[in-house]
Amino acid sequence: MRLDRFSSILSSGFWIFPLWLLLILLIDPFREFPLNDDWAYAQSVQHFLNTGVFDPGDWPGMTLWLQVMWGAFWCKIFGFSFTVLRCSTLIVAIMGSWCFFLLSRKLVEDLFWNVLLTLTLIFNPLYFSLSFTFMTDVPFMVLGIVMIYLYNKAFDGGGEKYWWLATILAAVTVLLRQFALLWPLAFGVAWVLRHRNWRAVLSAGVGILLCWITLKAFSQYLELNNLLSPTFGSLSDLLRSLTLNFFQYRLKEDGGMILFNCAVFILPALVIVFRMRRKRHLVLLFLSSLIVFYAGQKGWNNLLVGNVFFNTGLGPLTLPSDNEKWFHEALIPDGIIKVFGLFGATILIQYLAIKALDNFHLWRQWPTKKWWKIGLFFLSLGICFFILFDNYQFDRYFLPIAVILLLLFNPDPEPRRIKKIVAIALLGIMAIFSITATHDYMQWNETRWKVLRQLMETEGIPPENIDGGFEFNAWYKTGPRNPFIKGNKSWWFVREDEYAVSFGPYGCYQIEENYIYHSLLKPWGDTLYLLHRPTLIQTDTILCDLEQMSTDSAFFLSKDRSHFFEINTPPVTGTTHSGQNALRLTPEQPYALSTYISPVQPCEQLTFTLWNYGKPKVNIIATTPDQQSFSSTSTAFTDRNEQAWERIRFEVTLPPDYPSDSLKVFLWNRTGKEVLVDDFEVVWKHLPN
C-alpha cells in the first residue's frame, strides 16, 4: 500500500516542488547583487518601473521585452530588488521542470526513466545555476518546453487548435529571444512532411510568417525610438554568414565543441539508451568513435567554451586578473571532463544512427508521433547551426539542445541493472556538483559585494575608482567599455582602477586586505583580495596636432615643444580633424609619429588617443626601445564626429617588471589601405619626478 502511494506521488510529479524548496534553502538566493548579464536586464526592469518605457539598453543582443515585463510584474508587487527578480526565475524553473516531467510521462510511461530525465534536467549545471539568476536562458527554455508540448498535442491528433496555440506562444517567445523562430520553422517542416498537402503548407507558412512579422515589427519599433542595441542580433546578419565555405570552416573548427556540449550534461540518460546487444551496434559505436575522435582532437582546446561551467565551479569568473591560475585551479583535470563528454557524444551519435537505420526505410508508414520527433530533431539541428554561425558561443546556449535530446530518447525497455547504477551515480555526481558550485558562486559574489559596499560606504571610495568585476562596474556604469588588452584595464567599463577585488594578487597591485569565504567545493575555505595600486598623482599631457615642425622638417613638435615625433611622410591638407595638417599612412609608408617617452617607471599609466579617418584603423604601438621585451597595441575607437573621424583610445599600464626607463610609441597602418590620422595625444600618469 505504501509502495503504491509512493509510486502515485512520483507519477504526479508533485515531489518536484519540495525538492526545489530544499534546493533553495541550500543555495540561499536571497541576496542583493546581479549575476552574469542580468545586471543589464535588471536595469531595463528598473527603467520600466520608473518611466513606463521599455529600454533594452546597449548590452543585450536579444529582444528581451518579455523578460522585462515578467520581472516588472513581480517588482510591482514586492518592490524592485535582485532577490525578487531571482525568485521570478525560480518560479519559472520549478514550473518548467514539472511540465517537463509531465511531458516525459506522456511520451514514455516508465517511472524510473521519467524521474531520471527530470532530475537530469534539474541538476544540469546550466539549468540549475541559471535558475538562481535573472538571465533569460531558463525562461526561454521553459517556454520552449511548453511549445514542444503543444506541438506534440497537435501531431498527436489533438487538432489544429494546439498548432495555433503553439504558433501564438512562439510569436510571444520571439519577444524574449529571436531564435524562438526556430520552433515554428522546425515543426512546420515536419508538419508539411507528415501531411504533404497545401493545408499543411499554409499552416506552417502562416506560423513562420507570424513569428517573423512579430520580430520585424518589434525591431522597427526599437529602431524608430532609437532603442535598438548595437549588439541586437538580426536575422539578416545571420543569413549573411550562411556560406558553404564559412560553414565548412566552423564545422571543422567547432564540430567537437558542438558534440561535447550536446552530450556532457545528459550522460545519465545516455547510459540508459546505450546499446551493445547486436553486432551492428558495435560497428556503429566504432564508426561514431572515429567521428568524435576526429572532431574532438581538432577542437580539443575549445571544448569547454565557458561562461557558466568552469572546472572550478559555475558562473562566469568576472574578476580582474592577469593570471588564469586564479580562475582555473582545477579540482579535476580538464582532460577527464572532456573525455567523459566525448564518450557521451559517441553514444549520442551511435543512438541516432541506430534509430535512423531502424526507421528511415519505413518513413511512409511512420505514425504522426514519429514526425513530431523529426520536428524535435530539426529543432536541435537548427539550434546547433545557430550556435555554429553566431559570433558568440557560450555553453548556456546548449541548454535547449540538452532538453530536446532528452525528449528524443527512447529508453532501453529492459536496461541492465549496471546501467541504472551507472546512470544514478553520474546523476549523483552532477547533482552534488551543481548544488555545491552554485552555492559557492553565490558565496564568493556575496563576499565580493560586501567588500565593495564597505569600500564605497565606509572608505568613501567612488565606484568610478574601483575595478570590482564585470557586474559591479556594469551596474554602476563607471566608464566606457575598454579594449581587451592583457595587462591593462579590464574591458568591463572600468574608468579608474585604483582599487580592485580579485582571487589573487596581480600586476602592480598590493594586497590591502583578504577575505575568506565558505566554499563547499573547497571546504578548507577560499579567499578574495582587496587590492590597491600606487596612486599616480602627476599627469602630463603631450599633444601632437601636426601643426608645428622642427627647423629641419624631420619632426613634428608637441604643442608644448617637449617631444619630437618623427615625420615619415609629408603632411596633407584639406581633410583634417583640426588645424591645417593631417597625415596619410599608405601601404608603402605605413609608419609614422615615432617618439620616445622617458623616464618611465613600472606601473605608470599612459593613455593614447588618435583621430582616424575612414574604416581602416591604425594601430597605436607602445613598446620597449628594442621592441622585444614588451609590446602592446590597440585599434579600439570610442567615439566619432560628424565628419567621419573616429577617435582611437588606447591605455597601457607598464608591468611591474618593465625593463627600461624609456617607452617607444609609434603608429602602424597594417591594413593595406590608405588612412588619414590627426591629433595624436598622450596622457601620462606617473609618480612625481
Side-chain angles (χ1 to χ4, degrees), residues 226-267:
N226 295 317
L227 298 173
L228 195 63
S229 164
T231 60
F232 188 82
S234 68
L235 187 60
S236 57
D237 292 338
L238 185 64
L239 291 175
R240 274 194 291 271
S241 65
L242 292 178
T243 63
L244 182 60
N245 288 338
F246 186 65
F247 171 73
Q248 290 175 334
Y249 167 76
R250 292 300 288 265
L251 188 63
K252 184 178 178 181
E253 294 296 316
D254 298 328
M257 178 268 293
I258 296 284
L259 289 172
F260 172 84
N261 285 280
C262 284
V264 67
F265 295 130
I266 58 171
L267 276 171

Side-chain angles (χ1 to χ4, degrees), residues 542 544 554-558 563-567 593-595 680:
I542 305 162
C544 179
F555 297 93
F556 286 114
L557 302 178
S558 62
H563 285 75
F564 293 77
F565 294 80
E566 188 176 353
I567 299 176
L593 301 184
S594 174
T595 190
F680 185 32

Side-chain angles (χ1 to χ4, degrees), residues 596-671:
Y596 291 87
I597 298 172
S598 63
V600 296
Q601 300 180 55
C603 300
E604 294 186 340
Q605 292 182 338
L606 299 101
T607 302
F608 307 96
T609 57
L610 174 74
W611 286 91
N612 185 107
Y613 186 84
K615 285 188 176 181
K617 303 293 185 297
V618 169
N619 284 76
I620 303 172
I621 310 293
T623 182
T624 48
D626 62 6
Q627 298 185 213
Q628 300 293 325
S629 307
F630 169 83
S631 183
S632 191
T633 180
S634 177
T635 60
F637 73 89
T638 56
D639 49 20
R640 57 169 58 90
N641 67 11
E642 295 178 356
Q643 287 75 42
W645 284 88
E646 294 177 343
R647 186 174 69 160
I648 296 173
R649 183 174 179 272
F650 170 38
E651 294 189 14
V652 170
T653 299
L654 299 182
D657 58 351
Y658 187 74
S660 173
D661 65 352
S662 181
L663 182 72
K664 182 179 182 181
V665 182
F666 61 94
L667 307 183
W668 180 20
N669 174 20
R670 44 198 278 187
T671 65

Side-chain angles (χ1 to χ4, degrees), residues 19 62 159 305 433:
L19 172 63
M62 72 285 290
V305 289
F433 174 78

